Amino acid sequence: MGVLSSESRSLDRSVIHAMLTATCPDSPLGRRPLVAPFLAINDRRESRRSRVRIVGLITVLVLSTALVPAQAAPASAESEGEVLENIPYAEPEPVGSRGHLLDLYLPETNGSALRPLLIVTGGSAWLGENGKDYAAELAPFFTAAGYVVAGVSIRASWNATFPAQVHDIKAAIRWLRTNAADFGIDPDRIGIMGTSSGGWAATMAGVTRDVAELEGDVGVTGVSSRVDAVVDLYGPTDFLQMDQHMIDCAGFNERFGLGNCHNDPSSPESRLVGCAIQSCVDAVRSANPISYVDSGAPPILIAHGQADRLVPHHQSKLLYAALREACAEAVFYSVPEVGHDSGIVAPDVPGADTSRTDRCRERHLAGQQGERPSLQNIEKFLHVALSRARR
């Protein structure tokens, strides 16, 4: 097995910065970052809170040995929305890591009804530990629709290799389920959404509900890590097939300082699994969400831009095909002219080739007859899936 040397795994911060801030000039939405702007290194984006009224703030530096719930006031019968920041769902590992933190966005409440939960984690090619920041972009919309939103960070590959990232996202789910009553969350209505490597984490959480070896022992244990719906925005799946479907490997190499595209020993995928991906196919197979797809998978919404130059569009085609073959429920928005772009949820992107499958029945809407993966359509998907889960 081709395990990476400590030298080859050491981080060139200039390369990482390029990966996190690169832009896609061909995007119909303008020169938007290929990896969303909230992922920039050392950018805490304090100003992002200005759009959300903050009436509650939690500051917790370390967990007690008992991992007690954060001491925040439960949602009251009549309360305005709150943002609770930097809640530890597990002890930092290693010390100094920010990969075990989450933020909570609580909607205004007018009664005691429990709210559905949407967990959000942004992508960073597994090189950042601020995936929770993506939730700030989505929280105004989803809290207005009545959801509690949790932004969750997981550890970067330079702090821990796979399966640590799956252990982390599952630990966050368990913590949120355990403490659901304190924040007015319905523990039986939990959805998860992510972009890029965050989409991979969301999908892995969804399809590995019964895989004991991927539960790990991070944080709270003995509680279900099941989720009831998944939204995967352009996440990778089968790393071994990425290069043969890349639009521009030469450009990818130049941009990120690599020599062999995703197969490079220093590629994000190789760093994740701790070995050059083509030399350790068993490890790569274990990190492929398609390996775990079966008929019991939760409903999954997939959206991917056909012009994606980072994660080939083909990766989502593979996932949708596997879900269709398993007779699971899925919708796939294949969006023309859009690259690796969090703006794929904008209401003015081109109409997507839209495919839906449920119990081995499929229907397809092509081109302008198709729908868009707008936030409104994502919320409709979540509403239906989570309402069904509650029965």
Side-chain angles (χ1 to χ4, degrees), residues 38 120-122 130-138 193-195 233 342:
F38 46 82
V120 173
T121 186
N130 51 353
K132 66 186 182 68
D133 292 355
Y134 179 38
E137 309 296 324
L138 302 177
M193 176 175 178
T195 60
L233 304 182
S342 60

Side-chain angles (χ1 to χ4, degrees), residues 42-85:
N42 295 327
D43 180 4
R44 300 303 179 205
R45 290 180 61 86
E46 294 301 331
S47 63
R48 62 185 168 83
R49 304 300 184 192
S50 62
R51 292 175 299 135
V52 182
R53 183 178 181 184
I54 302 175
V55 296
L57 175 64
I58 205 167
T59 303
V60 183
L61 297 179
V62 294
L63 285 172
S64 71
T65 55
L67 288 172
V68 296
Q71 297 300 306
S76 63
E78 298 284 342
S79 71
E80 295 179 323
E82 296 181 70
V83 180
L84 310 177
E85 296 181 297

Side-chain angles (χ1 to χ4, degrees), residues 137-158:
E137 309 296 324
L138 302 177
F141 176 86
F142 282 102
T143 55
Y147 293 75
V148 175
V149 176
V152 171
S153 292
I154 59 179
R155 282 174 289 176
S157 58
W158 43 269

Side-chain angles (χ1 to χ4, degrees), residues 3 24 32 72 89 98 101 109 132-133 158 164 174 181 191 204 206 222 231 243 251 271-272 283 329 333-334 342 379:
V3 179
C24 179
R32 301 178 61 90
Y89 62 84
R98 296 181 60 82
L101 297 177
T109 58
K132 66 186 182 68
D133 292 355
W158 43 269
R174 293 193 300 264
M204 287 292 287
V231 178
D243 280 6
R271 291 185 182 278
L272 174 70
E329 181 179 348
Y333 295 99
S334 173
S342 60
E379 194 283 322

Side-chain angles (χ1 to χ4, degrees), residues 192-322:
I192 187 167
M193 176 175 178
T195 60
S196 194
S197 60
W200 169 88
T203 304
M204 287 292 287
V207 298
T208 62
R209 66 209 174 282
D210 296 324
V211 183
E213 57 268 30
L214 288 180
E215 286 296 320
D217 58 2
V218 175
V220 176
T221 58
V223 179
S224 173
S225 64
R226 184 195 78 252
V227 295
D228 306 299
V230 174
V231 178
D232 167 24
L233 304 182
Y234 47 90
T237 53
D238 187 346
F239 304 160
L240 299 179
Q241 295 196 47
M242 295 182 83
D243 280 6
Q244 66 195 83
H245 296 279
M246 283 288 286
I247 294 174
D248 182 14
C249 251
F252 182 89
N253 285 337
E254 181 179 2
R255 188 184 299 273
F256 302 135
L258 303 173
N260 197 21
C261 216
H262 293 280
N263 288 338
D264 194 281
S266 294
S267 74
E269 296 75 26
S270 295
R271 291 185 182 278
L272 174 70
V273 297
C275 50
I277 58 174
Q278 294 293 346
S279 70
C280 52
V281 294
D282 288 342
V284 174
R285 187 178 300 111
S286 296
N288 182 352
I290 295 171
S291 299
Y292 308 98
V293 166
D294 60 25
S295 61
I300 298 180
L301 183 153
I302 307 163
H304 209 131
Q306 295 174 13
D308 195 323
R309 293 175 179 269
L310 268 184
V311 176
H313 173 265
H314 182 255
Q315 293 282 290
S316 287
K317 290 178 68 176
L318 291 172
L319 177 59
Y320 177 76

Side-chain angles (χ1 to χ4, degrees), residues 63 67-68 86-92 98-103 132 151-155 164-165 167-176 179 218-220:
L63 285 172
L67 288 172
V68 296
N86 295 324
I87 304 172
Y89 62 84
E91 295 184 28
R98 296 181 60 82
H100 287 162
L101 297 177
L102 62 82
D103 296 339
K132 66 186 182 68
V152 171
S153 292
I154 59 179
R155 282 174 289 176
Q165 292 72 22
H167 293 170
D168 291 350
I169 197 68
K170 285 175 168 286
I173 296 165
R174 293 193 300 264
W175 189 94
L176 288 159
N179 295 286
V218 175
V220 176

